[in-house]
Amino acid sequence: MDKSQKAEYNAGQIAGQTQEKASNLVEKAQDKAQSAKDSMQEGGQQMKAKAQGAAEGAKDAVGANK
């Protein structure tokens, strides 16, 4: 293998490694985004349940839940 072939081989190796690292970073970012989305949805559901409970309590307090 002459110097030119070795340089091309090394460039290909580096390009492949760079592409793999970029792919891994994108995958990690997607995982983090999905986790954040799931957390927000769970928080929203908890807030909705608390608001519904508070509304029912208020209705009970004024006698509107009969």
Side-chain angles (χ1 to χ4, degrees), residues 2-45:
D2 67 13
K3 287 183 181 182
S4 176
Q5 289 173 323
K6 187 167 181 152
E8 286 180 30
Y9 173 80
N10 286 338
Q13 289 287 82
I14 291 169
Q17 291 171 359
T18 302
Q19 186 174 9
E20 180 67 21
K21 287 180 182 179
S23 178
N24 287 340
L25 287 173
V26 168
E27 188 176 329
K28 286 180 183 178
Q30 288 172 335
D31 290 346
K32 297 269 185 197
Q34 184 63 46
S35 179
K37 178 183 172 186
D38 292 345
S39 293
M40 292 297 290
Q41 285 178 333
E42 185 178 324
Q45 289 170 349

